[in-house]
Amino acid sequence: MLRITDARTGEPAEVRRALTRVHAHVPRDDASALRVLLVADVLARALELGGAPVLLVADPPTALRERADDLGIRPAEAVAAATGGGRRVLHVTGAGEGQGQEEGTDGDGGNDLVRVEVASVSGAEASAASGTALRLALLARPRRTPVDLDATTLAEAGDALGRWRKAVAGWATRPSKPMPEDVKQALRAAWEDDLDVPAVLGVLRDVAEAEDVPDGARFETYAYADRLLGLELTREIGAPA
C-alpha cells in the first residue's frame, strides 16, 4: 500500500486501493511547476501499479503543457470538467504553496485530503531543458529536495539513459527470465514508501551489477520499473547496433 507524507501534518497517509483523484496545482509555467506535474504523473503511475484507478486533473498553462508532453507526462483532465475521482484526493503542490486552497476544491472533504509537496527547480538550464534526460534528472532527487539544474547534471542524466537503454536492448536478445521476486518487492517497497523514486533507481543500478541476475531477468526488471519511471528504457530494442 502506498504511504505518502501529508505536508499538512508531516505524517504518512495510507492511500488504499480505491478510486483516487490526483490534482496537480500548476498556476505558473516554470520548471518548478513542471516538476509538480511530473511528480503527479509518477504518483498516478504508482497508484495504478498498485491496482487503484486514478483520475489525474490539472489546468497547466499552454507552454507548460507543451514541456510536459516533451517529458512524457500524461495529459490531465481539466479541473472544471473532471467528475468523480473518489473520496481520497491527493493535491500535489509546490513547496509552501496550496495551504488553504485545497479545502472545498473539487468538492473535496477535509478528512480524505492529502497535500504532497514538491520542492523548487532552479539553475541555468531550468527554463530550457527538456526531454527524458530532464525527466531523469528531476526523478533522481527526492521530491522534497530542491533541484539546481546545470549542464553537468543534464549531461550525466543523458549519459545514464544512454547506457541503460543500450543495456536493455542487449538484455532483450537474451533468453527470457522472470524478474526475481525479491527485486520486485524491493522496487515496490521503494515507491510505496513515500514515492521514493531515487531508491527505485538504486534498485535498478544494483540489478545491473548483480552477478546472480540473468540478463533476461534484468530486462524484465527494467521494463517493469519503467512503467513507473516513464524513461523509455526499452526504446532502443531492435535498433541498429
Side-chain angles (χ1 to χ4, degrees):
M1 180 186 302
L2 179 68
R3 296 170 302 281
I4 198 83
T5 299
D6 187 346
R8 300 177 307 157
T9 65
E11 298 295 327
E14 293 185 344
V15 186
R16 300 184 181 278
R17 188 180 299 175
L19 183 58
T20 302
R21 182 193 301 259
V22 176
H23 184 159
H25 293 264
V26 283
R28 301 183 303 277
D29 62 358
D30 58 12
S32 296
L34 182 65
R35 192 183 189 193
V36 168
L37 273 182
L38 175 59
V39 170
D41 175 66
V42 176
L43 179 56
R45 289 168 180 257
L47 290 167
E48 289 172 345
L49 283 166
V54 178
L55 179 65
L56 179 61
V57 300
D59 287 326
T62 300
L64 182 63
R65 182 62 258 172
E66 292 173 354
R67 292 190 74 186
D69 290 342
D70 195 50
L71 262 66
I73 296 172
R74 71 178 68 188
E77 296 284 343
V79 175
T83 59
R87 285 184 52 78
R88 176 54 56 91
V89 183
L90 307 179
H91 288 274
V92 187
T93 75
E97 299 177 353
Q99 291 94 329
Q101 71 180 10
E102 299 101 332
E103 294 292 345
T105 303
D106 312 329
D108 301 341
N111 292 335
D112 295 301
L113 180 156
V114 175
R115 179 154 55 85
V116 181
E117 281 196 349
V118 182
S120 63
V121 180
S122 60
E125 302 294 330
S127 62
S130 61
T132 47
L134 174 59
R135 185 177 178 110
L136 177 56
L138 295 177
L139 291 178
R141 307 294 193 277
R143 73 170 186 281
R144 287 178 287 174
T145 300
V147 172
D148 184 14
L149 282 178
D150 56 24
T152 299
T153 299
L154 290 170
E156 290 174 349
D159 290 344
L161 273 178
R163 290 193 303 271
W164 282 357
R165 287 169 177 166
K166 182 177 180 180
V168 169
W171 297 333
T173 67
R174 308 297 294 170
S176 178
K177 298 289 183 180
M179 175 172 44
E181 185 60 28
D182 62 329
V183 171
K184 183 175 182 179
Q185 292 303 318
L187 288 170
R188 295 191 67 90
W191 75 60
E192 289 179 352
D193 182 13
D194 205 24
L195 201 66
D196 192 349
V197 179
V200 171
L201 297 172
V203 173
L204 294 186
R205 287 190 287 268
D206 291 343
V207 168
E209 298 172 359
E211 296 181 355
D212 59 343
V213 179
D215 285 350
R218 296 186 216 270
F219 168 77
E220 295 295 342
T221 299
Y222 273 63
Y224 177 72
D226 203 37
R227 294 169 59 188
L228 175 85
L229 300 171
L231 294 172
E232 302 178 352
L233 296 180
T234 61
R235 191 172 74 181
E236 294 188 8
I237 293 176

